[in-house]
Amino acid sequence: MNTFNAAVGQPLDRVDGVAKVTGKARYAGEYPEDGLLFGSVVSSTIAKGRVLDIDTREALNVPGVVLILDHRNRPRLSSYDDDYSDADSAEGSAFRPLYNDRVLYSGQPLALVVAQTLEMARYAGSLLRIRYEEEPHQTDLDAALDHAHKAPAETPKPRGDFARHFADSATQVDVTYTTPVEHHNPMEPHASTVLYKPDGSLEIHDKTQGTQNCQDYLHKIFDLPKDKIRILAAFVGGAFGSGLRPQYQLPLAVMAALALKRSVRVTLTRQQMFTFGYRPRTSQRLRLGADANGRLMAIGHDAIGQTSRFEDFTEHLVEWSGMLYRCNNVALNYQLVPLDVYTPLDMRAPGAASGVIALEGALDELACAAGIDPLQLRRVNFADSNGNEGKPYSSKALLACYDQGAERFGWSHRNPVPRSMRQGRELIGWGVAGGVWEAMQMKASAKARIDAAGKLTVSSATTDIGTGTYTVMTQIAADAAGVMPQDVTFILGDSSLPTAPLQGGSFTVSSVGSAVRQACLILRTQVLEALRRLHPEVADVPVEQIGFGDGFVHAGDQRFAIAEVVAHCEGGALEVQVDAEPSTKRSGFATATHSAVFVEVRVDEDLGTIKVSRVVSAVAAGRVINPKTAQNQLMGGVVWGLGMALQEDTLSDHTLGRFMNHSLAEYHIPVHADIGDIDAFFVEEEDDIVNDLGSKGVGEIGIVGVAAAVSNAVFHATGKRVRDFPVTLDKLLQ
């Protein structure tokens, strides 16, 4: 059967766009409710110690204050004494807000003030008097490297003989790169609006990337039946990984709602957005050895990242060095240093964004040492298989990324000598880096229902964190069912809907999209069966002459409205629910997206200021469902990569053990004036193995490699290599 006028592959406008720009789209902290109470979190001011006393007398005298919760009067939660986890938990004992008198990190929530208005709650919170017994703390990774232990991550085992081949290499590089703590800072702060129902059930609007993850978390913590907990997240104002785990405002709001039997909202301030997960600081040593022709003979990647004392957070930090290029002698090592901080959390392209900085920076240094063009060095070491897994890639159009990106950038005109390209007082530098991200697929479910009006409703519990999930699922459903996109309604963000994984890792389209496609294809088959019952002559039409599109079944030279066919079905509707999972044909292959990023920087020779004037990002990501929203994702990733390279750095005062620039005024990110020309595009790549859609996902790959390309360009412009990120003018002028 064929599909006519396919919606997949078209630059469809966001179906939720009008709701967002007109204010009709409501976020977690915006749902109204009569009698709603407001909670304000009071945070610790020390990094480690014990709470001796919390004096609440003055705060309780503030008019409108109805409750102050702390570790002494919180509801008894037997599950707090048991091990529990969520879908994105780290190894260890998850943080329990208001658990006891221990202070584990600066900014830890110590009390919740609930009042009739937010202003009352915040003012009363300022009146709490907390006495501590302070203990010595350590928040500096660099000062505690000697306390590192092996990370409980699935780090690929060594292959070949790294030490011997590194020692015998004609060209060697041994360098260490460091990356800072970074925070997600989505526009929408974390908030939970808990609506308490007369039957004791809870309807909760939460800022989350996984409604069912939050439902399961609350079920375990509060021992509430799942059918008494409904989590809703129809719109999410950005997350970037910050919503993968339930953040502490959620259990605090639920505690208050259950204690008062009232509806309660808790919203974190921008400063409190810096009191939970973040991209961890890393120190990474890269040792690369190559022969006289530039072929990699040895790769050693030793990384150390920070974590909390109560959990071992791990990410895929070093794996990329064993898979992006061809090398038979690889040694990867990953360690953690526990500190008096909160547990890190996955942040856009977790591990890859940091790990590829070190790999691609070191590779650029190897190219300089060997006198080989950096792009040519990458071509020479192209790998058509994943060395970590010993499997060929299902597809890998990275060479096309190199070629097309280089042509659009004009790489052939590059003078390889550092400080050789200039315009007036500006030094011009050109840099390149490669990028890689896994193309994953998770189990997912979807329901599809078409009615007598030809309207198709598809649902799944996934979320849309701004990536365009509403839109691409509408396109996938329209194509598979043979209806027009305007006749499709996709429902998401509700824990009561068919099961979906967390939205992250660039696997939503491949996972939920595959389920949506399968459900709608089955629905299409049911429509054809019903048509053949109504019109037996259609049974004689060869299957290759039957197609679906524009709301019609095309059978030979006849066409039949799908709505009319469904109207004759029992109940005037057809409905299907499916569970989709990765195909077994994936098992023999490695699957990944790849990219090549080219960057031009202009550095003021006197002031050291760096301006990124041009970026070309070429990405191979299989079949692109919506070129418009997908390109938006790439451009957003590039902008973030520029921030990683030049600006983003959560600064700590280790004497106090706390983050100091915990606001958008002082935590620097790129603004419009920082952005030059960005040419982000997709190279053609077909892949019938990765999933039925042939799509690999684009949310993560856009950021990978960008920061390294900027750094490499800065070196080319100035002749100075900065290995401590971000690359700021003070480091250039030292």
Side-chain angles (χ1 to χ4, degrees):
M1 291 185 287
N2 303 309
T3 298
F4 297 106
N5 300 321
V8 167
Q10 300 304 310
L12 187 70
D13 289 344
R14 289 176 180 262
V15 299
D16 54 331
V18 172
K20 287 184 173 179
V21 299
T22 58
K24 292 181 180 179
R26 281 193 173 135
Y27 295 85
E30 297 182 330
Y31 285 86
E33 175 80 356
D34 290 339
L36 181 67
L37 298 173
F38 297 83
S40 178
V41 177
V42 179
S43 306
S44 71
T45 58
I46 68 170
K48 186 178 182 181
R50 191 164 63 88
V51 174
L52 297 178
D53 182 56
I54 301 179
D55 187 344
T56 63
R57 289 173 295 179
E58 190 176 357
L60 285 170
N61 286 331
V62 174
V65 172
V66 297
L67 176 68
I68 298 178
L69 281 174
D70 58 45
H71 68 277
R72 301 168 303 179
N73 68 333
R74 64 163 172 80
R76 175 168 173 76
L77 302 170
S78 60
S79 58
Y80 258 34
D81 300 320
D82 302 327
D83 287 334
Y84 69 92
S85 62
D86 53 80
D88 199 59
S89 62
E91 185 168 308
S93 178
F95 173 69
R96 298 162 166 84
L98 309 188
Y99 177 50
N100 57 20
D101 63 354
R102 299 298 304 172
V103 177
L104 305 176
Y105 67 98
S106 180
Q108 175 180 319
L110 298 182
L112 179 72
V113 180
V114 183
Q116 292 173 356
T117 69
L118 179 59
E119 292 76 12
M120 291 175 181
R122 284 200 182 161
Y123 173 66
S126 71
L127 300 177
L128 291 186
R129 299 292 177 257
I130 303 176
R131 288 194 303 113
Y132 303 97
E133 181 183 280
E134 197 165 357
E135 299 174 7
H137 64 265
Q138 179 58 270
T139 58
D140 187 355
L141 174 68
D142 295 339
L145 294 176
D146 291 342
H147 298 283
H149 64 263
K150 187 174 178 59
E154 296 179 2
T155 303
K157 295 180 180 179
R159 61 178 184 265
D161 189 339
F162 163 77
R164 180 169 68 85
H165 285 86
F166 178 72
D168 293 343
S169 295
T171 306
Q172 299 173 347
V173 165
D174 186 344
V175 291
T176 297
Y177 282 76
T178 58
T179 64
V181 168
E182 297 170 355
H183 278 83
H184 305 75
N185 278 308
M187 288 186 69
E188 180 197 10
H190 278 270
S192 299
T193 300
V194 180
L195 305 181
Y196 188 89
K197 300 299 182 180
D199 63 353
S201 63
L202 305 176
E203 184 177 288
I204 304 171
H205 297 276
D206 189 59
K207 161 54 172 278
T208 180
Q209 290 172 252
T211 57
Q212 290 169 332
N213 186 30
C214 288
Q215 181 191 46
D216 189 55
Y217 170 84
L218 295 177
H219 161 68
K220 293 175 180 176
I221 294 297
F222 293 95
D223 198 26
L224 292 171
K226 283 191 177 181
D227 61 8
K228 292 288 187 179
I229 308 168
R230 186 181 182 190
I231 309 292
L232 301 166
F235 297 97
V236 180
F240 314 118
S242 68
L244 290 173
R245 299 188 72 171
Q247 301 303 347
Y248 62 76
Q249 89 286 339
L250 175 60
L252 291 180
V254 172
M255 281 185 199
L258 293 177
L260 296 168
K261 294 182 170 51
R262 294 275 300 275
S263 296
V264 177
R265 173 179 297 151
V266 177
T267 303
L268 300 185
T269 65
R270 180 58 58 181
Q271 289 73 26
Q272 288 169 340
M273 293 289 288
F274 287 77
T275 58
F276 52 85
Y278 50 88
R279 195 191 302 278
R281 178 166 173 76
T282 72
S283 176
Q284 304 177 61
R285 181 188 183 192
L286 261 294
R287 287 172 290 171
L288 304 179
D291 66 14
N293 297 315
R295 297 190 183 279
L296 285 166
M297 303 303 295
I299 298 176
H301 190 166
D302 301 290
I304 300 177
Q306 73 178 60
T307 189
S308 67
R309 295 203 188 276
F310 47 91
E311 288 181 292
D312 274 350
F313 170 82
T314 60
E315 55 186 355
H316 295 291
L317 189 59
V318 298
E319 285 90 328
W320 322 103
S321 294
M323 62 187 283
L324 186 51
Y325 302 108
R326 183 175 62 251
C327 185
N328 295 325
N329 305 286
V330 177
L332 308 175
N333 182 47
Y334 180 19
Q335 294 182 296
L336 298 176
V337 172
L339 301 172
D340 297 305
V341 295
Y342 191 79
T343 309
L345 180 61
D346 288 342
M347 188 168 172
R348 195 171 192 173
S354 303
V356 170
I357 280 179
L359 170 64
E360 291 298 294
L363 203 69
D364 194 72
E365 297 197 49
L366 184 69
C368 293
I372 299 175
D373 177 84
L375 184 59
Q376 180 60 24
L377 181 68
R378 288 166 171 82
R379 286 193 178 103
V380 166
N381 291 289
F382 174 81
D384 55 10
S385 63
N386 183 331
N388 293 338
E389 301 177 8
K391 296 179 180 179
Y393 284 104
S394 58
S395 61
K396 185 178 179 181
L398 181 56
L399 291 175
C401 292
Y402 292 153
D403 294 342
Q404 294 178 34
E407 182 178 357
R408 291 169 79 143
F409 187 82
W411 184 263
S412 61
H413 302 295
R414 177 181 185 267
N415 186 327
V417 180
R419 299 183 68 90
S420 63
M421 299 170 63
R422 67 168 58 236
Q423 187 174 47
R425 298 300 298 169
E426 288 185 324
L427 300 170
I428 298 174
W430 287 4
V432 66
V436 59
W437 181 258
E438 294 175 284
M440 297 173 281
Q441 182 181 351
M442 308 295 177
K443 293 181 179 179
S445 303
K447 180 186 292 185
R449 184 180 191 275
I450 192 165
D451 62 22
K455 303 296 183 182
L456 175 64
T457 301
V458 185
S459 60
S460 179
T462 188
T463 56
D464 188 338
I465 58 175
T467 51
T469 306
Y470 277 110
T471 308
V472 296
M473 296 304 165
T474 295
Q475 292 175 267
I476 293 169
D479 261 18
V483 302
M484 299 293 287
Q486 57 265 35
D487 290 328
V488 179
T489 299
F490 187 70
I491 303 173
L492 53 68
D494 185 338
S495 60
S496 67
L497 296 176
T499 304
L502 293 165
Q503 182 169 52
S506 287
F507 52 67
T508 297
V509 169
S510 62
S511 305
V512 179
S514 293
V516 167
R517 181 176 182 272
Q518 289 181 26
C520 291
L521 286 177
I522 294 173
L523 208 59
R524 185 163 80 173
T525 300
Q526 293 183 354
V527 169
L528 181 59
E529 292 172 352
L531 175 63
R532 285 171 171 164
R533 290 194 297 269
L534 288 171
H535 299 277
E537 68 276 12
V538 174
D540 296 328
V541 178
V543 67
E544 60 269 15
Q545 294 182 25
I546 293 177
F548 284 73
D550 297 341
F552 291 90
V553 182
H554 301 260
D557 57 359
Q558 300 182 80
R559 72 173 193 168
F560 306 88
I562 292 175
E564 293 181 9
V565 176
V566 175
H568 287 86
C569 295
E570 183 178 353
L574 293 171
E575 184 174 289
V576 172
Q577 180 167 332
V578 303
D579 301 319
E581 58 184 53
S583 169
T584 55
K585 65 183 179 182
R586 280 177 56 110
S587 61
F589 296 88
T591 55
T593 54
H594 292 88
S595 66
V597 185
F598 300 81
V599 168
E600 176 183 272
V601 300
R602 293 171 178 263
V603 182
D604 188 292
E605 192 171 16
D606 299 313
L607 302 178
T609 53
I610 305 168
K611 174 72 176 179
V612 178
S613 49
R614 289 193 299 137
V615 178
V616 173
S617 177
V619 175
R623 188 184 190 190
V624 178
I625 305 299
N626 185 318
K628 180 182 290 188
T629 57
Q631 188 187 43
N632 289 164
Q633 286 291 295
L634 294 189
M635 294 180 71
V638 168
V639 171
W640 196 334
L642 301 183
M644 288 190 72
L646 303 175
Q647 295 171 312
E648 283 198 66
D649 187 359
T650 309
L651 300 171
S652 297
D653 183 327
H654 296 300
T655 302
L656 297 174
R658 76 176 66 144
F659 298 127
M660 302 305 293
N661 56 332
H662 56 311
S663 70
L664 290 183
E666 295 178 302
Y667 182 88
H668 293 169
I669 57 175
V671 296
H672 286 295
D674 299 311
I675 308 304
D677 181 64
I678 299 176
D679 179 12
F681 69 97
F682 294 97
V683 304
E684 187 173 339
E685 183 178 62
E686 294 186 5
D687 195 325
D688 59 0
I689 293 170
V690 65
N691 53 63
D692 290 343
L693 291 164
S695 176
K696 294 182 175 181
V698 298
E700 317 284 359
I701 188 65
I703 191 176
V704 183
V706 177
V710 173
S711 173
N712 295 340
V714 170
F715 170 77
H716 180 238
T718 65
K720 182 164 186 177
R721 184 77 64 175
V722 178
R723 303 186 184 96
D724 178 31
F725 279 72
V727 181
T728 49
L729 62 87
D730 59 306
K731 296 170 185 174
L732 283 180
L733 295 176
Q734 280 179 355

